[in-house]
Amino acid sequence: MEFKELVIKNYRNFSDIDINLSNRNVIFGMNDVGKTNMLQAIRTLFDRKVRSKGFVPSDYYKNNTAVPIQIIIKFDISDREENTGKGEDSKLLISRIIGARNNLEYPDSFVIKLEGIYNEVELFGNPILYWGTTLEDLVPIPNKGQTLAIDNIFHVEYVTPALTLENTFKKNRRQLFKEETKNDDDLKIEENIENNIKDLNNNIGKLEIVKKVQEELTSGYKEFRDEPMNIELQSEVSINGYLDNLTPYIKWNNDGNYYPTGGDGRKKLLSYALTKIITEKMNDLRIVVYLIEEPENSLHRSMQMALSHQLFNQQVYNYFFLTTHSSEILYEMDDTQLIRISNLGNSNGKSSHYDVPSQYRTLKKKLNKGLSQAIFYNTVLLVEGSSEFCLFESLFELVYPEMEIDGKSILQVDGVNFEPYTKLFDKLNITYFVKTDNDLQKVKGTPNEFMLTGFNRSLKIIGSTPKKNIIIESFEETDETEKVRKIKDKKKQIYSEYYDDITSLANQKIFLSEIDLEHDLFSSIPQKMKEITEKDNPVNWLQTRKLYNMVDFVEHLDEPLAKKIIQKTRVLEEFMEVGEH
């Protein structure tokens, strides 16, 4: 079973939104754009208790109760023949929707729809649910009293930022300690508990302080009415509910004492562990859908990463919708639908399915770390490596300190390649700039043939045809110094020869250096670079130990110098100006 599409119409801040889904969905965006409302819409569809409350006028977009609320979820059940977890869920769904699969032309499709029509007399919007093979074949979902057939198929586990261990344990106590799970030893122990409780009740009645109160009550009553009777106080400690007072404590190894479960972080993780156990117990009964809201609250960064590992690698979390502002929560993400919500007041959504590309499997965490940070911004500047990042970040700290407040970020791709990022940003409607060197790469096994690596890297982003390899004459016949000079001259020649293409790339926010970052910098402030570095050839000095020397160099920058560099560097100037900060 695969979640495929979500449609929300006229609900809260959603006028009309239609986004693709998968079984793992991460919902992100700025504050107050409707992330929680999206979770609530899904919860209303699947959770009987929430649904029973119906809709009030403020649940309708701009209080327009004349237009019905619609919440629609579409599924793909083409895996119904597979003996996998998701395949078994498709079988479970099919087994409980007899009569609703009513169009044999679409055997792989299934739709559930909620419609809330507001009653102006009762001042109440009543949720009515339908299901069927397609939107054109819907029939009402059958019910028994307040329970619909859908409630016997799906269970929603709503995990809020206010999740507490105490409430979670109390809420799920009955599920944890089911009567049918008791074995013979448990029954014998339970019998002993019952006998002990009888002894406890009898002993409580023998206490002198209890006898004294009994006598006082009897005497006081007989002052009103003298009857042949006595008042006796009986202890009613019962075996029923003897598990109700269980409370989780910590018992450290080699320590006989019990300790409270600690701070909010540990309690939060124990709550997740408890919720996971409950879900596993329900797996054969219903399909569990997690709605998880900002789980990073109260969790240290390392704990967030531990939770990420659980979410994206444990089968129990087969289906979830997660809202978050934390890149650490997305540390392990894979096979995930990223859903970006934007526009206050009339939220729009863009979504893209994200799989870690096969060529980056060994670099999954490295790729995810940068990507998960960048998707929380509106505008991203992609740079090749650490020296570019160091320079640009330092320049903006001096000239544009409000960069992050304006929703902008710099991301270094560390040679991973720009494409995994740019493809995703295109689909999520995130504006991006690219700055890369005009690299040439020698073709192995040839004396003087070179690939236009930097140029073609840029062309690949926009889907253009790559340029053919070039030849550098007499390359092998020269010494190393001459080889460096020839490569430098060839880069200038390429930049000049393909200037129209390079201008076109720049107009699409992809900027190729004439040679490389260090030469760009030198062309902006040549004399000042010599003064700062105390070198006749500051470019060579920067390239000798790229990051180490760049860190030293930026320490000498001030605001006027930073402004001058930015004014001479088109990509930085346009990056600053976008969005009219």
Side-chain angles (χ1 to χ4, degrees):
M1 188 187 83
E2 187 85 20
F3 284 85
K4 296 304 292 182
E5 187 179 356
L6 172 66
V7 178
I8 303 174
K9 295 182 179 181
N10 204 46
Y11 179 69
R12 296 193 177 178
N13 65 311
F14 295 110
S15 171
D16 188 347
I17 188 171
D18 185 342
I19 53 178
N20 295 327
L21 300 177
S22 72
N23 290 344
R24 295 170 171 173
N25 302 276
V26 174
I27 305 163
F28 60 96
M30 303 298 285
N31 289 334
D32 302 319
V33 294
K35 300 185 294 296
T36 299
N37 287 343
M38 180 171 287
L39 292 187
Q40 190 66 11
I42 299 166
R43 192 180 179 201
T44 303
L45 189 69
F46 288 120
D47 192 326
R48 178 176 61 85
K49 290 181 181 178
V50 176
R51 196 167 58 240
S52 65
K53 297 175 183 177
F55 300 114
V56 297
S58 59
D59 287 323
Y60 292 78
Y61 178 69
K62 292 187 176 180
N63 287 353
N64 183 9
T65 56
V67 178
I69 289 171
Q70 289 188 18
I71 304 169
I72 301 166
I73 281 188
K74 298 181 182 180
F75 300 90
D76 183 320
I77 51 175
S78 58
D79 58 4
R80 59 192 176 278
E81 302 297 331
E82 298 176 10
N83 295 321
T84 61
K86 296 174 186 177
E88 294 299 327
D89 289 337
S90 288
K91 293 173 188 176
L92 187 152
L93 178 65
I94 291 169
S95 70
R96 298 184 185 180
I97 56 174
I98 297 171
R101 293 182 73 206
N102 45 17
N103 189 333
L104 297 179
E105 291 184 29
Y106 303 95
D108 299 336
S109 170
F110 195 70
V111 179
I112 299 173
K113 175 182 177 181
L114 179 150
E115 190 168 64
I117 299 176
Y118 192 75
N119 188 315
E120 295 290 350
V121 176
E122 297 182 359
L123 303 178
F124 178 80
N126 188 32
I128 306 297
L129 269 73
Y130 307 85
W131 59 13
T133 304
T134 70
L135 277 173
E136 289 72 36
D137 306 301
L138 298 180
V139 295
I141 297 180
N143 67 295
K144 286 186 179 180
Q146 294 294 317
T147 302
L148 297 177
I150 188 177
D151 301 320
N152 296 319
I153 301 173
F154 293 95
H155 169 77
V156 166
E157 195 63 44
Y158 185 42
V159 185
T160 73
L163 177 75
T164 65
L165 177 61
E166 294 79 8
N167 290 341
T168 305
F169 194 80
K170 183 178 180 180
K171 182 180 106 175
N172 293 293
R173 189 180 284 124
R174 183 178 297 178
Q175 188 71 26
L176 280 169
F177 304 114
K178 287 183 176 179
E179 285 289 324
E180 59 268 24
T181 62
K182 294 176 182 176
N183 59 28
D184 291 341
D185 289 339
D186 288 339
L187 295 174
K188 289 178 182 177
I189 294 172
E190 196 171 80
E191 186 178 348
N192 289 334
I193 293 172
E194 188 170 8
N195 292 330
N196 291 334
I197 287 176
K198 286 180 181 177
D199 292 339
L200 172 66
N201 287 333
N202 289 332
N203 286 326
I204 290 172
K206 293 176 182 178
L207 291 170
E208 286 299 324
I209 191 172
V210 174
K211 290 179 181 179
K212 184 178 179 180
V213 172
Q214 288 178 170
E215 291 171 0
E216 291 172 346
L217 284 171
T218 301
S219 175
Y221 178 80
K222 289 188 176 183
E223 289 179 5
F224 293 100
R225 187 171 184 177
D226 190 8
E227 293 181 325
M229 47 81 78
N230 291 305
I231 304 297
E232 291 193 4
L233 300 175
Q234 289 291 317
S235 172
E236 293 184 348
V237 175
S238 171
I239 188 171
N240 295 327
Y242 69 93
L243 296 172
D244 289 351
N245 294 318
L246 288 174
T247 302
Y249 279 86
I250 286 174
K251 188 171 185 293
W252 297 105
N253 294 341
N254 303 318
D255 186 343
N257 297 311
Y258 291 88
Y259 298 93
T261 48
D264 290 342
R266 183 177 287 122
K267 287 182 178 181
K268 180 71 74 71
L269 289 182
L270 277 170
S271 301
Y272 279 109
L274 179 59
T275 305
K276 177 173 176 279
I277 291 168
I278 298 301
T279 303
E280 289 170 334
K281 289 178 178 290
M282 298 180 64
N283 257 353
D284 295 334
L285 304 174
R286 287 187 283 176
I287 299 167
V288 180
V289 180
Y290 277 91
L291 304 180
I292 307 171
E293 187 175 0
E294 297 182 6
E296 61 268 20
N297 290 359
S298 302
L299 290 182
H300 181 267
R301 180 174 175 271
S302 61
M303 291 182 176
Q304 293 178 38
M305 293 164 71
L307 178 59
S308 179
H309 182 80
Q310 291 278 325
L311 287 173
F312 292 100
N313 292 287
Q314 294 286 334
Q315 187 173 342
V316 69
Y317 297 106
N318 266 345
Y319 311 99
F320 69 71
F321 294 81
L322 162 72
T323 69
T324 184
H325 294 281
S326 167
S327 58
E328 279 73 28
I329 292 292
L330 306 184
Y331 193 65
E332 294 273 356
M333 68 175 174
D334 194 5
D335 188 19
T336 304
Q337 194 78 13
L338 296 174
I339 301 168
R340 182 170 181 256
I341 307 298
S342 60
N343 292 0
L344 290 172
N346 178 15
S347 290
N348 295 320
K350 299 286 185 179
S351 70
S352 175
H353 193 265
Y354 171 71
D355 282 299
V356 176
S358 57
Q359 64 267 41
Y360 305 123
R361 285 281 161 186
T362 57
L363 298 170
K364 175 184 174 182
K365 290 183 174 63
K366 190 174 184 180
L367 179 69
N368 282 0
K369 182 179 179 182
L371 180 62
S372 60
Q373 290 171 349
I375 61 175
F376 293 104
Y377 292 91
N378 296 322
T379 308
V380 181
L381 171 57
L382 293 163
V383 298
E384 281 189 45
S386 52
S387 57
E388 288 91 345
F389 182 87
C390 175
L391 173 63
F392 296 165
E393 184 180 51
S394 299
L395 294 173
F396 289 135
E397 282 177 358
L398 291 166
V399 176
Y400 187 21
E402 63 272 28
M403 177 182 76
E404 293 209 6
I405 298 174
D406 285 348
K408 299 177 186 179
S409 175
I410 306 171
L411 173 63
Q412 64 181 73
V413 302
D414 286 332
V416 170
N417 200 317
F418 293 98
E419 195 177 16
Y421 302 97
T422 57
K423 279 186 175 180
L424 187 63
F425 293 163
D426 279 332
K427 292 177 182 177
L428 295 176
N429 202 29
I430 294 174
T431 301
Y432 61 85
F433 291 75
V434 172
K435 181 69 172 74
T436 187
D437 290 342
N438 186 10
D439 296 323
L440 294 179
Q441 183 178 351
K442 191 170 179 291
V443 178
K444 290 183 179 179
T446 65
N448 55 0
E449 185 177 354
F450 287 79
M451 294 180 286
L452 280 65
T453 309
F455 200 177
N456 288 337
R457 180 189 300 138
S458 303
L459 293 172
K460 188 176 182 181
I461 294 171
I462 61 172
S464 292
T465 304
K467 301 299 181 185
K468 294 180 181 179
N469 297 348
I470 53 94
I471 301 295
I472 299 180
E473 298 295 339
S474 307
F475 184 75
E476 285 294 310
E477 301 167 9
T478 59
D479 59 25
E480 289 303 316
T481 303
E482 184 64 14
K483 286 179 180 178
V484 171
R485 187 193 63 78
K486 285 192 173 188
I487 290 174
K488 179 180 172 181
D489 289 345
K490 181 56 72 171
K491 288 180 179 181
K492 289 182 176 180
Q493 180 185 334
I494 291 166
Y495 195 88
S496 175
E497 183 178 345
Y498 294 113
Y499 186 77
D500 289 344
D501 295 293
I502 290 166
T503 301
S504 177
L505 284 168
N507 290 336
Q508 298 176 73
K509 300 182 176 63
I510 301 167
F511 295 84
L512 184 71
S513 295
E514 182 181 38
I515 300 173
D516 52 37
L517 171 73
E518 293 79 14
H519 283 88
D520 288 348
L521 187 57
F522 184 71
S523 66
S524 301
I525 50 168
Q527 191 57 41
K528 198 65 181 177
M529 274 188 71
K530 289 181 178 181
E531 292 175 14
I532 290 173
T533 63
E534 297 180 348
K535 305 289 182 184
D536 291 332
N537 193 333
V539 169
N540 282 354
W541 178 78
L542 279 176
Q543 291 179 335
T544 301
R545 302 171 68 187
K546 291 176 76 76
L547 178 58
Y548 182 87
N549 286 344
M550 183 61 77
V551 170
D552 181 50
F553 175 78
V554 297
E555 289 293 322
H556 297 83
L557 296 178
D558 56 22
E559 185 178 352
L561 197 57
K563 284 183 177 179
K564 186 172 183 180
I565 295 170
I566 290 172
Q567 289 167 358
K568 295 281 188 177
T569 311
R570 181 180 167 188
V571 61
L572 301 182
E573 194 171 37
E574 291 192 10
F575 178 73
M576 277 185 60
E577 292 173 354
V578 72
E580 297 180 355
H581 63 275

